[in-house]
Amino acid sequence: MKNIYYILILCCLCLFSCDSRPDSKNPRPFGVNLAGAEFFHKKMDGVGQFGIDYHYPTTRELDYWKSKKMTLIRLPFKWERIQRELYGGLNREEIDYIKHLLDEAGSRDMKILIDMHNYGRRKDNGKDRIIGDSVSIDHFASVWKQIAGELKEHSALYGYGLINEPHDMLDSVPWFKIAQAAIEEIRKVDLKTAIVVGGNHWSSAARWQEVSDDLKHLHDPSDNLIFEGHCYFDEDGSGIYRRSYDEEKAYPTIGIDRTRPFVEWLKTNNLRGFIGEYGVPGDDERWLVCLDNFLDYLSKENINGTYWAAGAQWNKYILSIHPDDNYQTDKIQLGVLIKYLATKN
């Protein structure tokens, strides 16, 4: 009887100490951003035409990345296109195509993280408006409730990426308050799917503790938040890579050093993290060393990510990893990426 008593106590301690959130201890997949639907920013406000002015990824692109065993897709889209009028219904053509991509991803055992690629803003009457200006918190939260209501049952849905790289938000309407409202509205219709929260200041992983520490106080009744940082290796961290490796003052472990503040914050607060964007040029092998060291570090810390960026619309973009020669020639960065298909935990 005494032994049974001790066993029960141990079981209870284990239950309270274990992280009960989905995939908390399992390997997590790496993948790529499949860009395209967020392009052509001048054609917003309902002007741009789906399939003509901007393009979503195709199943051929899914097939290519599946063949490379990269099974997580971060899918950018624009708020203005998926909801043409504030408080209006969703654009059926666009939301139905996202559902189609989810179906196709599911048939390939892939997952899609949808990403509202809006930087804390939306065009309204032809002008960029920060959330909290003429575009309100309720506008933002309510559209996410609609999106979640449409997509919540899909098995290939990895998570809801609330907004890409919020920055320079209004002091009176901080990103924390906006994100909390969206979380609450999503949970009215979906208690299961992960919600992915980007950090302040362009989701900077390097400055996370300085600019995004308050996000640890966000409340999710489902306890299923993932925090998203971004990390580039050029001098200003912009990912533009205007100059050479030496001129950008890069070094082999720069990605580790820039990501460590984010990683340590996650560990201190027992939270889950994800690096939604990182990328390097393919014109100097030393950048590939940076990428390799960075991904090795993330993998050992059980933090996954998506490379910026894949997608057939990039043309000569320096970070593009869309294959050349009609899918016959892989980009050089891929040799590093395929070493990290999932975290090592």
Side-chain angles (χ1 to χ4, degrees):
M1 194 69 180
K2 192 174 185 180
N3 289 338
I4 293 175
Y5 175 74
Y6 285 130
I7 290 170
L8 287 172
I9 290 177
L10 286 172
C11 289
C12 289
L13 288 172
C14 286
L15 285 171
F16 282 111
S17 65
C18 288
D19 188 344
S20 62
R21 291 165 295 188
D23 87 340
S24 60
K25 300 300 180 183
N26 296 323
R28 299 169 185 169
F30 283 95
V32 298
N33 286 265
L34 267 184
E38 82 285 17
F39 283 7
F40 307 111
H41 298 177
K42 293 181 180 179
K43 293 199 172 184
M44 295 294 176
D45 291 324
V47 176
Q49 295 184 57
F50 173 56
I52 297 175
D53 298 310
Y54 63 97
H55 302 266
Y56 273 85
T58 64
T59 54
R60 188 176 187 187
E61 291 173 74
L62 293 180
D63 285 336
Y64 174 78
W65 291 108
K66 175 63 176 181
S67 75
K68 304 303 177 184
K69 297 182 171 59
M70 305 291 284
T71 58
L72 177 60
I73 300 299
R74 183 172 180 252
L75 180 69
F77 67 94
K78 280 292 188 183
W79 180 1
E80 297 90 335
R81 289 172 176 159
I82 204 167
Q83 184 191 48
R84 298 299 171 97
E85 296 182 3
L86 292 170
Y87 286 138
L90 299 182
N91 178 348
R92 288 313 319 173
E93 186 175 33
E94 188 142 340
I95 197 70
D96 286 345
Y97 193 80
I98 291 175
K99 288 181 177 181
H100 164 69
L101 285 176
L102 285 166
D103 289 339
E104 294 294 332
S107 70
R108 293 162 173 79
D109 295 320
M110 302 174 77
K111 298 284 186 179
I112 291 180
L113 164 62
I114 62 168
D115 157 52
M116 184 181 281
H117 215 77
N118 275 73
Y119 307 94
R121 288 147 174 77
R122 177 198 160 106
K123 280 193 178 297
D124 183 38
N125 292 322
K127 295 182 179 180
D128 276 326
R129 303 291 188 182
I130 300 174
I131 300 172
D133 189 5
S134 61
V135 175
S136 70
I137 292 178
D138 192 59
H139 285 135
F140 179 70
S142 66
V143 72
W144 267 115
K145 183 181 179 182
Q146 286 193 68
I147 294 169
E150 290 276 354
L151 304 182
K152 62 182 179 179
E153 301 297 336
H154 211 294
S155 62
L157 181 63
Y158 190 82
Y160 304 118
L162 291 185
I163 212 152
N164 181 68
E165 296 185 343
H167 67 91
D168 300 298
M169 307 304 288
L170 298 173
D171 291 339
S172 58
V173 190
W175 171 231
F176 176 93
K177 187 176 181 180
I178 299 166
Q180 184 63 61
I183 291 166
E184 291 170 7
E185 287 303 298
I186 288 171
R187 291 302 180 221
K188 290 179 181 178
V189 295
D190 183 353
L191 291 171
K192 181 177 67 175
T193 306
I195 298 174
V196 181
V197 184
N200 281 299
H201 193 71
W202 308 90
S203 298
S204 170
R207 297 189 60 191
W208 192 277
Q209 295 184 24
E210 176 186 348
V211 299
S212 296
D213 184 55
D214 62 332
L215 297 183
K216 67 189 178 187
H217 299 300
L218 287 171
H219 173 67
D220 175 14
S222 297
D223 193 22
N224 194 11
L225 298 181
I226 300 173
F227 294 90
E228 179 183 331
H230 292 180
C231 185
Y232 292 101
F233 311 148
D234 45 348
E235 186 176 13
D236 63 3
S238 67
I240 298 176
Y241 294 93
R242 298 177 181 88
R243 303 169 298 174
S244 70
Y245 181 93
D246 294 308
E247 291 172 321
E248 293 288 0
K249 301 178 182 178
Y251 53 92
T253 59
I254 188 171
I256 297 173
D257 293 341
R258 288 188 174 176
T259 312
R260 185 175 285 115
F262 177 58
V263 174
E264 293 302 318
W265 180 85
L266 293 170
K267 291 162 72 172
T268 297
N269 295 289
N270 190 30
L271 298 170
R272 289 185 298 158
F274 167 79
I275 302 294
E277 292 185 18
Y278 48 88
V280 296
D283 59 358
D284 189 322
E285 290 189 357
R286 291 177 293 177
W287 288 122
L288 302 181
V289 174
C290 295
L291 181 62
D292 199 345
N293 290 333
F294 168 75
L295 290 176
D296 182 64
Y297 172 65
L298 290 185
S299 183
K300 290 174 180 175
E301 295 290 348
N302 203 27
I303 297 171
N304 59 333
T306 47
Y307 180 95
W308 184 269
Q313 308 298 315
W314 278 119
N315 297 321
K316 296 185 181 298
Y317 176 50
I318 194 172
L319 304 186
S320 171
I321 52 170
H322 184 74
D324 293 327
D325 306 321
N326 195 27
Y327 289 85
Q328 298 304 305
T329 305
D330 295 336
K331 290 289 177 63
I332 192 171
Q333 297 96 320
L334 189 63
V336 176
L337 297 180
I338 60 176
K339 293 171 60 179
Y340 303 95
L341 303 177
T343 57
K344 295 180 179 178
N345 194 333

